[in-house]
Amino acid sequence: MIIAPMWRQIPSGDDMRVNRRSFLQTMAIAGASTALLPSLATAQEGESIWDMFARNRVLKDADQGGATAAAEALISTNEPILSFDTVYNLQLAISQYEPFVAAGGWEEIPQEAYGLNLGKSARHVVNLKRRLISSGDMGMVENVNELFDAPTDAGVRAFQARHGLVVNGQVDEATWYAMAVPAQQRLQQLYLNYTRVQNMAAKLNPRYVVVNIPAATIEAVNDGMVEQRHTAVVGRVERATPIMASNISQINFNPYWHVPKSLVRQDLTKYMLENPNYLTEQNIFIYDGAGNKVDPQSINWAAITDAQVNYMYRQEPGAANSMGHCKINFYNPYDCYLHDTPTKALFNENARFHSSGCVRVDGVNQLVNWLLRDNGDWDQQKVDSTFDSLQRLDVECKARVPIHTTYITAWANRQGTVSFRDDVYKFDEQGKVSFDA
């Protein structure tokens, strides 16, 4: 067997593609959508006393916290996703993947591996171990047995970290789905992203911000090093975050939020029909063209007119404000910006594609401090206290830091770790390597 290092791969071709919905439907039919698969439950019931002792020992001795830390260390380097170095690292990854793919890649992971985790004993653990070994997430072992042991747990966590998944050591749905992607398809991702990064690298300044849409992450880069990294929420497929390049110009502290006309039609009318007090509860006021307040109850939300859509719908600063405590502005024709959010729970999800095109930033106060450091009088304490004050304040950025919203679904770092993300907007599928930005 050829062992790939941490560089990953995936075959393309319709016959090799995995359909997530079909998989879940199959699992539901098998009665395993919310519990252990029958074969796994049987394996546990039929185990010998020696198997039980071995399982209990694994559960007792495994350092799951240490395995998570080791997995996260694989990707938590100060190397940017988008840089000149990334071009070289991707080239090296491709050279590792090509012979591995030519030799057949990794074997298919069976559906019965779904739900496996530490301490389980089942014949499909053998398939799981071979899959992890072949992709470099787990080291070679003398005996590939049926026990989901500590090295297997560590391997699953390493795999999850590299694919931007919640690191929990369990072959959950997202993990199974990522493992089922063929090696040739992963190699194709490396080819596409090598060209994308190469096209963009020459345009980079020493200091810049990168929003990588497929990873839903933000990096603040200076002199080739990531100084801050933030989890993000980006646009859902039908309201995609645009790919562009601009310069960050202004910070709006505790901003008003003016509801876009498209959202008035698509969302606000629905919410008001479901709950007539929605606008009041969300601290949103309606103003006509003369600046007069309009009573929400005077509007027929079931048949809203163009004139009513053109009213100004303004949400006041406060805890419920959709932009949270700040908005980060940069010129673009899409009315796109970075902003805070009151809905922090979304940052903990695997797939963070929920916005209407703008980008929500976790830990945005730290990013604001980084952007205003050339203003001289803005330290972290002042940023935080301005957030808490709810004071409306607009601050021009003395340093107009470039910002790039990008689409990178595969990248690598110097230590040989290759990361992959889902092709959410189907640009990989289209073979797209250049964008207007």
Side-chain angles (χ1 to χ4, degrees):
M1 176 187 298
I2 294 179
I3 307 300
M6 293 305 266
W7 319 94
R8 305 214 175 231
Q9 318 125 6
I10 300 186
S12 53
D14 294 339
D15 58 329
M16 298 298 292
R17 291 184 182 165
V18 179
N19 185 292
R20 188 191 296 248
R21 181 175 296 175
S22 299
F23 165 62
L24 291 177
Q25 289 173 343
T26 302
M27 299 307 294
I29 292 170
S33 59
T34 59
L36 293 175
L37 294 174
S39 61
L40 300 184
T42 304
Q44 294 290 298
E45 292 167 4
E47 68 182 356
S48 71
I49 190 169
W50 307 112
D51 291 334
M52 184 180 67
F53 286 156
R55 176 164 54 86
N56 291 341
R57 185 170 61 251
V58 163
L59 291 171
K60 178 183 176 182
D61 295 342
D63 180 8
Q64 294 176 284
T68 294
E72 292 175 345
L74 293 170
I75 58 170
S76 299
T77 71
N78 58 8
E79 299 172 66
I81 288 175
L82 176 62
S83 71
F84 278 106
D85 285 346
T86 311
V87 177
Y88 171 77
N89 295 334
L90 279 167
Q91 191 174 37
L92 183 57
I94 288 169
S95 71
Q96 297 280 347
Y97 268 51
E98 285 178 329
F100 178 72
V101 170
W106 47 68
E107 65 181 70
E108 183 178 352
I109 188 79
Q111 290 183 356
E112 289 80 3
Y114 179 78
L116 290 172
N117 61 3
L118 187 66
K120 299 288 176 60
S121 184
R123 61 189 176 89
H124 299 294
V125 173
V126 173
N127 303 98
L128 174 63
K129 288 182 177 180
R130 289 204 296 256
R131 173 64 177 82
L132 294 170
I133 291 170
S134 66
S135 57
D137 293 295
M138 180 178 167
M140 288 292 293
V141 294
E142 291 183 5
N143 179 24
V144 181
N145 58 29
E146 297 183 354
L147 179 62
F148 195 121
D149 52 16
T152 310
D153 175 76
V156 170
R157 290 172 194 270
F159 179 91
Q160 290 170 329
R162 293 190 310 102
H163 291 78
L165 306 174
V166 173
V167 180
N168 56 21
Q170 180 176 359
V171 185
D172 53 20
E173 183 227 333
T175 304
W176 185 92
Y177 189 72
M179 284 184 176
V181 178
Q184 175 60 45
Q185 189 175 327
R186 293 301 192 202
L187 177 58
Q188 184 63 25
Q189 281 184 274
L190 291 173
Y191 288 144
L192 289 169
N193 287 280
Y194 171 80
T195 306
R196 286 172 186 158
V197 175
Q198 188 178 45
N199 288 343
M200 295 189 66
K203 305 173 186 177
L204 298 174
N205 287 40
R207 187 178 177 203
Y208 55 94
V209 171
V210 174
V211 179
N212 186 22
I213 295 166
T217 57
I218 297 169
E219 292 180 346
V221 181
N222 189 40
D223 289 334
M225 310 278 272
V226 175
E227 295 187 337
Q228 291 185 14
R229 187 173 281 121
H230 300 264
T231 303
V233 173
V234 297
R236 51 192 182 270
V237 174
E238 64 273 19
R239 301 185 195 180
T241 296
I243 295 173
M244 56 189 166
S246 186
N247 294 287
I248 295 173
S249 57
Q250 186 186 62
I251 309 297
N252 301 145
F253 286 93
N254 300 303
Y256 296 113
W257 180 51
H258 296 89
V259 184
K261 294 176 184 178
S262 59
L263 297 192
V264 174
R265 279 197 188 281
Q266 297 175 41
D267 296 328
L268 214 54
T269 52
K270 178 181 66 175
Y271 297 152
M272 284 299 290
L273 290 172
E274 293 172 352
N275 175 14
N277 294 319
Y278 177 81
L279 289 178
T280 302
E281 293 172 2
Q282 297 298 316
N283 209 18
I284 297 175
F285 296 91
I286 309 174
Y287 298 89
D288 62 19
N292 301 310
K293 280 189 177 180
V294 177
D295 184 355
Q297 305 307 321
S298 68
I299 296 176
N300 180 3
W301 294 98
I304 190 169
T305 66
D306 287 341
Q308 292 164 336
V309 167
N310 288 327
Y311 286 155
M312 181 176 72
Y313 295 77
R314 189 179 79 181
Q315 187 177 38
E316 301 297 304
N321 187 285
S322 295
M323 288 186 293
H325 288 293
C326 81
K327 175 187 176 190
I328 300 173
N329 291 320
F330 47 94
Y331 171 75
N332 64 89
Y334 311 102
D335 193 24
C336 183
Y337 44 84
L338 309 186
H339 65 96
D340 187 19
T341 177
T343 53
K344 311 291 188 187
L346 294 178
F347 293 123
N348 297 320
E349 295 187 0
N350 276 321
R352 298 182 298 277
F353 307 95
H354 302 288
S355 83
S356 296
C358 292
V359 180
R360 307 172 198 176
V361 188
D362 191 22
V364 70
N365 59 325
Q366 297 169 21
L367 181 59
V368 168
N369 181 44
W370 189 83
L371 292 168
L372 291 179
R373 72 184 187 190
D374 293 303
N375 281 47
D377 57 344
W378 283 91
D379 58 14
Q380 191 65 65
Q381 183 178 357
K382 185 173 180 180
V383 171
D384 294 345
S385 62
T386 307
F387 274 26
D388 294 339
S389 72
L390 298 184
Q391 175 191 1
R392 273 288 301 114
L393 181 66
D394 298 332
V395 178
E396 296 294 319
C397 298
K398 288 186 177 178
R400 300 298 173 105
V401 179
I403 181 169
H404 304 270
T405 61
T406 64
Y407 197 85
I408 302 173
T409 58
W411 64 95
N413 61 29
R414 282 189 292 269
Q415 65 188 41
T417 302
V418 183
S419 295
F420 292 104
R421 296 296 185 270
D422 286 347
D423 180 22
V424 217
Y425 294 169
K426 304 303 179 188
F427 292 152
D428 286 1
E429 189 175 293
Q430 299 167 28
K432 198 165 186 177
V433 294
S434 61
F435 306 91
D436 291 339

